[in-house]
Amino acid sequence: MEPNINEAAEEIKEEAAEEVKRTPPERARGTTETMADYAAELEDSLKRIHAGDVMKATVVSFDELGVTADLDYYAPGKIPAEEMSADPAFSVMSDVQIGDEFMAVVTNVDDGSGNIVLSKKQADSEYAWDKLQEMKDNRTLITGKIAGVTRSGAVLYVEGVRSFIPASKLDLKYVEDTEPYLGRTVNVLISEVDKDNKKLILSAKELLTEAALAKREENVKKLQVGSIVEGTVETIKEYGAFVDIGNDMSGLLHISQITDHRINHPSAVLKEGQKVTVMITKIENGKISLSMTAIKDAKEAEAEEEARGYKNEYVPNNPFAALLKDIKL
């Protein structure tokens, strides 16, 4: 037995055909409009709809039970609330607006009241992957709320598709405890789209890294060669030590700039966490060079100038004069 909607469609099409037969040729050539004049439009609008068809839906109203949508068809579409999204945090009342457009899959051509029943959730699952790939290619910024967490990462829904953010990509550094991220709103990029295996991987680390580099670049511009700053030894390498000088900036204190005496390893003089006073001696391509010995040399040069009676004066022949001219020790 044919669904009521399709029966109605057939009846209207038959009426249109009869109207064509009854219309005299001279009337057809006139300006009076008849059903025959709209035969093509009727044929298009009354095409048969079957379960599984994908239709464009425009929200015209909604409530707690679901959404009513315009399908550009004579019968309205109904989408139950549970068929709007796979995201458990999704709410029709807060996440849907009049005029929203999306694709939905027909699940029932007639609910008994002349409505076509659809599922946006099914359409998201089947047809969202091409859009997700496009979003990845365009580096589209995604802002979403963490819907769930595991020991290895966090869950976020994008275009109705469940995605995963590994703990190594939640922040600049590996996140040991993901629990505080539950319900948190984050900005992410798509890093992997696997349509065949229905796998979507996101990353917040890339955006955070870009922001940190931009901030560091701005802070580096404020530094001046010859400035003396306080810092903390972060890490020690064979060739020197990296010193945190504040504002998320660190510089290299080369082994040759730690002391006047020859040492085999920086650890002979320094240890991690130690507070040190260093001079900024070079800034190039965002890299900061530091020195401890330059401070001592500068002090000795100043003492020598004071002894000669040239305190606070510029002495061209002194190798440290240009450096000391604008330094307040």
Side-chain angles (χ1 to χ4, degrees):
M1 182 175 180
E2 287 292 327
N4 295 338
I5 289 176
N6 291 327
E7 288 181 355
E10 287 299 321
E11 290 177 0
I12 295 176
K13 287 166 65 178
E14 289 175 3
E15 290 179 5
E18 288 298 322
E19 180 67 20
V20 171
K21 294 178 182 179
R22 292 194 298 267
T23 303
E26 60 274 11
R27 183 182 174 189
R29 290 192 297 268
T31 59
T32 304
E33 295 180 340
T34 69
M35 189 175 292
D37 297 317
Y38 300 99
E41 288 83 353
L42 283 169
E43 178 68 24
D44 182 64
S45 66
L46 298 175
K47 61 185 178 181
R48 292 194 177 207
I49 292 178
H50 302 88
D53 287 350
V54 180
M55 303 186 72
K56 182 179 180 180
T58 303
V59 177
V60 294
S61 66
F62 59 87
D63 55 28
E64 293 86 350
L65 299 178
V67 170
T68 298
D70 177 13
L71 305 175
D72 195 20
Y73 194 70
Y74 77 89
K78 292 288 186 178
I79 307 173
E82 63 272 15
E83 292 299 322
M84 280 296 295
S85 174
D87 186 348
F90 180 87
S91 169
V92 172
M93 300 307 294
S94 59
D95 297 326
V96 175
Q97 294 183 351
I98 303 297
D100 284 352
E101 295 183 348
F102 48 79
M103 304 305 291
V105 175
V106 176
T107 58
N108 189 347
V109 295
D110 191 344
D111 64 356
S113 299
N115 301 307
I116 299 173
V117 184
L118 308 99
S119 171
K120 179 179 179 295
K121 182 166 64 176
Q122 287 188 31
D124 289 341
S125 177
E126 294 297 326
Y127 299 96
W129 293 95
D130 290 339
K131 183 176 181 180
L132 292 170
Q133 182 62 54
E134 183 179 346
M135 293 170 69
K136 176 183 182 298
D137 296 339
N138 295 332
R139 297 187 82 248
T140 301
L141 174 66
I142 299 169
T143 300
K145 184 179 291 186
I146 300 297
V149 294
T150 67
R151 289 184 178 181
S152 56
V155 175
L156 187 71
Y157 284 83
V158 182
E159 296 296 319
V161 176
R162 187 179 189 275
S163 60
F164 187 68
I165 311 174
S168 60
K169 296 180 179 293
L170 266 174
D171 209 331
L172 291 172
K173 297 181 179 179
Y174 185 89
V175 176
E176 296 288 347
D177 182 12
T178 60
E179 286 297 331
Y181 281 82
L182 183 61
R184 183 181 299 183
T185 298
V186 295
N187 293 323
V188 295
L189 294 175
I190 297 176
S191 61
E192 182 180 345
V193 178
D194 187 344
K195 181 178 180 179
D196 294 334
N197 296 309
K198 302 295 188 231
K199 184 170 66 174
L200 183 65
I201 305 298
L202 310 177
S203 173
K205 184 175 182 178
E206 188 173 349
L207 290 170
L208 293 172
T209 299
E210 291 174 358
L213 290 175
K215 182 179 179 181
R216 185 181 189 279
E217 186 176 342
E218 286 298 314
N219 289 332
V220 168
K221 290 179 180 178
K222 299 175 183 178
L223 298 177
Q224 292 184 342
V225 172
S227 299
I228 296 176
V229 297
E230 297 294 326
T232 304
V233 177
E234 288 183 313
T235 56
I236 295 178
K237 306 291 184 180
E238 291 185 359
Y239 52 84
F242 287 95
V243 178
D244 178 2
I245 59 174
N247 291 325
D248 296 320
M249 295 184 293
S250 62
L252 175 62
L253 177 60
H254 193 268
I255 188 172
S256 63
Q257 299 298 311
I258 295 176
T259 178
D260 290 335
H261 306 292
R262 180 179 177 81
I263 55 177
N264 294 324
H265 196 278
S267 60
V269 177
L270 303 174
K271 62 181 180 179
E272 292 183 2
Q274 179 179 339
K275 300 293 183 181
V276 293
T277 301
V278 293
M279 178 185 288
I280 298 173
T281 57
K282 185 178 181 181
I283 301 174
E284 185 176 9
N285 298 325
K287 296 180 179 180
I288 306 169
S289 297
L290 306 173
S291 174
M292 293 174 66
T293 59
I295 296 177
K296 180 181 178 182
D297 293 339
K299 287 181 178 180
E300 289 177 352
E302 183 183 41
E304 183 179 343
E305 289 185 13
E306 289 181 358
R308 292 178 180 179
Y310 293 109
K311 183 178 180 182
N312 294 327
E313 294 182 6
Y314 176 65
V315 183
N317 294 328
N318 191 309
F320 294 100
L323 182 63
L324 291 169
K325 182 172 179 291
D326 297 317
I327 296 177
K328 184 178 180 180
L329 297 173

